[in-house]
Amino acid sequence: MIIAIDGPAGSGKGTLARGLADSLNYAHLDTGKLYRCVGLAVLSIGKDPADAEAALQEAKKLDLQDIDNIDIMGDTAARAASKVARFQKVRDELLKLQKKFASSPPGGRQGAVIDGRDIGTVVCADADFKFFITASAEVRAERRHKELLARGEPSIYARVLSDMLARDESDKTRSIAPLRPARDAQVIDTSELDANTVLATALKTIKAGG
Ligand code: C5P
């Protein structure tokens, strides 16, 4: 059983993915982490994440085991991720890891919940369930701003909003695997919903069988 969850930053897709994985006892993969790891790896060797060759070399070295070991949730990693994510060869490399996770979820689990930008459209186009999670840019920026402050990182709301809009634009307009809902995805706008309500909505769809 594969559940694909896509959506922009701050939409609540990660919270939903974790909630579903916990409720159903499925494995969870946050695919943004793969791009973040590659972006940071390129920066760590002193290169620009917009350097296609450096990004590809680092993508080739990535091991799924490593993604939870380093702190990759800051905004430097997010910006670098968005740059390496524009390269088809990088995406192809990471696609192999994602497909492997989907076809044999770790820990012998019976299913996988995978979240990102192109899971329902590219990575798992034949997923059993697809959700596209969204929210207004202002709400998403507010959430992200609070998250950064809670992590002890300096944050200015206006800057978070403009960074988020820039990253959305880059993710939506790129020619390869752009961010968009799959035709058969259930779209949930979380602007006015709390995490429990979003989880309950998705679980209801899954239990009803589609
Ligand atoms: O989800 P997260 O904000 O961690 O993703 C960071 C960046 O990685 C996104 O802005 C996007 O450019 C890229 N990404 C992607 N495809 C995915 C997941 C993330 O292109 N499936």
Side-chain angles (χ1 to χ4, degrees), residues 9 13 30-33 35-36 73 78 81-82 85 91 98 115-119 167 171 174:
K13 66 178 187 311
D30 169 354
T31 63
K33 285 186 176 177
Y35 293 90
R36 285 169 181 264
M73 296 324 282
S82 216
R91 303 199 72 87
Q98 296 170 79
D115 72 90
R117 301 291 187 292
D118 62 339
I119 311 305
R167 195 145 67 89
D171 289 348
R174 67 183 178 213

Side-chain angles (χ1 to χ4, degrees), residues 75 79 137-146 148-149 154-167:
D75 273 1
R79 274 191 294 274
E138 289 73 18
V139 167
R140 294 188 291 111
E142 184 66 40
R143 287 176 185 157
R144 183 70 187 145
H145 173 57
K146 285 190 181 146
L148 288 171
L149 293 178
S155 177
I156 299 165
Y157 171 78
R159 172 105 197 266
V160 175
L161 178 61
S162 69
D163 269 10
M164 194 166 258
L165 290 173
R167 195 145 67 89

